[in-house]
Amino acid sequence: HWITVESAWARASAPGAPSAGFMVLHNHSNKEDVLLGVSGDFANKLEVHRSFKEDGVMRMVHQTEGVVIPANGMVTFAPGGYHLMFMGLKKNFVLGEVYSVILSFERAGEIEVQLEVKHSVSDMTH
C-alpha cells in the first residue's frame, strides 16, 4: 500500500462513554488520497471527526467529505484535531486491549488497522 499507518492507538473509555482513535497516516504516492470512513464491529457508530477551537470553545465536526491525505504527505490524528470517533461501544475500552478498524480510502481501498488502548498521549511510542 502507498498509505501506511503509524502510532495507532485508542483512548481508554469509561462505561457508557465514547472512545476515540488516533494515528499518523502517510501517503507515499504522488497523488492525494482521501480517508472516506472507518468501520468496526465494537461500536454502533464509527466516524471521522475533527476537533478545533472556535471562540474559545472546543467543537467537533463529523468529516462527511472525508480527510485528504496529501501526495507524499501525512496527516496526524491526535487529541484536539482529527480523530476517529467511536460511539455506542459494546463494552468500554480497557488499557492494553487491541481493537481492529477498517479505514476506507478513495484510492487505496480498505486498510485494516490495530488500535491499542492507551491512557493518553504520554503513552505513545515514537
Side-chain angles (χ1 to χ4, degrees):
H1 274 300
W2 57 82
I3 297 279
T4 58
V5 182
E6 267 179 18
S7 307
W9 63 286
R11 188 177 276 145
S13 68
S19 181
F22 310 98
M23 65 205 162
V24 180
L25 295 177
H26 293 271
N27 182 350
H28 302 280
S29 85
N30 57 7
K31 291 186 179 158
E32 71 177 28
D33 206 339
V34 181
L35 173 62
L36 299 172
V38 55
S39 57
D41 59 7
F42 52 81
N44 294 331
K45 194 184 279 187
L46 295 87
E47 295 176 350
V48 179
H49 283 214
R50 183 171 74 93
S51 296
F52 58 94
K53 200 168 239 179
E54 187 176 76
D55 301 327
V57 178
M58 280 304 283
R59 301 194 183 282
M60 191 169 76
V61 177
H62 181 195
Q63 302 300 113
T64 52
E65 302 294 308
V67 176
V68 173
I69 316 300
N72 299 305
M74 58 182 264
V75 174
T76 299
F77 281 59
Y82 288 115
H83 57 280
L84 305 177
M85 193 72 206
F86 310 134
M87 295 158 286
L89 297 179
K90 296 184 177 164
K91 65 189 251 341
N92 49 309
F93 280 16
V94 177
L95 194 66
E97 292 178 334
V98 176
Y99 288 88
S100 176
V101 294
I102 304 286
L103 302 178
S104 299
F105 293 89
E106 192 171 84
R107 292 180 55 239
E110 295 189 339
I111 298 175
E112 185 171 353
V113 177
Q114 307 298 319
L115 300 173
E116 183 182 348
V117 178
K118 298 181 181 248
H119 271 301
S120 64
V121 185
S122 61
D123 291 327
M124 278 181 77
T125 52
H126 294 286

